[in-house]
Amino acid sequence: MTRPDSRSTIIAAARELFSEHGYKGVTIRDIAAAAGVSPALVIKHYRGKAELFNEMGPHEVPLAELDLPRSGMGRALVQKVLTRREHGVPDGWLVAASHVRDSPEPDRSREETRGKLLDGVSALIGDTTPERRYASAICCQMLGLAEGVRVLGMFPDDEVPRDELLELYAPIVQQQVDACARACPNAR
């Protein structure tokens, strides 16, 4: 008999393994072992690794809890990336990028991931421009920050104090938030 939460257990195990090892570095057997289920159950639910990968999608970038004035959004976004680094917690921005890079269907994954990121950031900052230019700029800035500090090791913790990095980077992100507020004054 299938446990009622086996799907969510499999997704959670797959998400963790894919974020650690990438799509190519994980097998159905690895996922099954991490989830505590049989490989047959994984196949029963998801038919294969590619379908499981696309079903799980990227980690959502948790923006909803940032219910604060526009004037503090740039700082809050940057602070989240730095806090995740300090605690060794997976970063949603990095997971989103690696999801597209490692996807067996990169074009589909790119469109879906891009849409989710832009929807979330647009809603957060009130970007109602047709091309969502301000949300796009912020997404690029945040992706760059996450990749820079986590993947490339820019601004190491022991060399650059967190507060200095926050003061350096937050105003750059805030510029886009402020520009959006001027371009879309009735939004949000």
Side-chain angles (χ1 to χ4, degrees):
M1 182 171 183
T2 303
R3 293 187 325 225
D5 67 341
S6 62
R7 282 182 161 282
S8 61
T9 302
I10 291 167
I11 288 286
R15 181 172 280 127
E16 183 174 326
L17 290 170
F18 285 140
S19 70
E20 288 178 18
H21 306 288
Y23 177 79
K24 293 175 185 158
V26 177
T27 66
I28 290 291
R29 287 187 189 277
D30 296 333
I31 295 165
V37 300
S38 70
L41 184 60
V42 176
I43 296 297
K44 177 183 173 193
H45 284 313
Y46 298 102
R47 291 188 237 169
K49 187 169 84 165
E51 284 202 30
L52 174 59
F53 186 85
N54 284 322
E55 175 72 20
M56 73 173 208
H59 279 318
E60 296 298 322
V61 178
L63 299 171
E65 74 272 17
L66 294 179
D67 187 22
L68 46 89
R70 282 187 183 190
S71 62
M73 285 184 193
R75 184 176 183 84
L77 286 165
V78 171
Q79 200 164 20
K80 286 178 127 337
V81 170
L82 299 179
T83 299
R84 288 185 193 116
R85 175 180 74 168
E86 287 169 4
H87 295 286
V89 175
D91 192 290
W93 296 103
L94 291 179
V95 173
S98 69
H99 179 76
V100 173
R101 275 194 295 271
D102 291 342
S103 176
E105 299 177 53
D107 291 337
R108 176 180 154 206
S109 293
R110 180 179 303 108
E111 248 344 274
E112 289 174 2
T113 301
R114 179 181 178 276
K116 286 180 182 180
L117 291 175
L118 287 175
D119 288 348
V121 174
S122 292
L124 178 69
I125 66 170
D127 188 349
T128 58
T129 61
E131 69 281 3
R132 300 190 281 189
R133 92 175 43 167
Y134 304 103
S136 294
I138 290 170
C139 285
C140 287
Q141 290 169 329
M142 299 311 298
L143 285 161
L145 175 64
E147 289 272 346
V149 299
R150 295 292 286 269
V151 177
L152 298 175
M154 303 291 188
F155 304 107
D157 290 346
D158 57 343
E159 293 177 21
V160 179
R162 177 187 206 272
D163 290 341
E164 280 184 33
L165 181 52
L166 191 55
E167 294 308 315
L168 176 68
Y169 212 84
I172 296 168
V173 177
Q174 189 64 41
Q175 285 177 342
Q176 295 304 316
V177 175
D178 294 342
C180 181
R182 288 188 299 274
C184 310
N186 298 325
R188 192 165 183 271

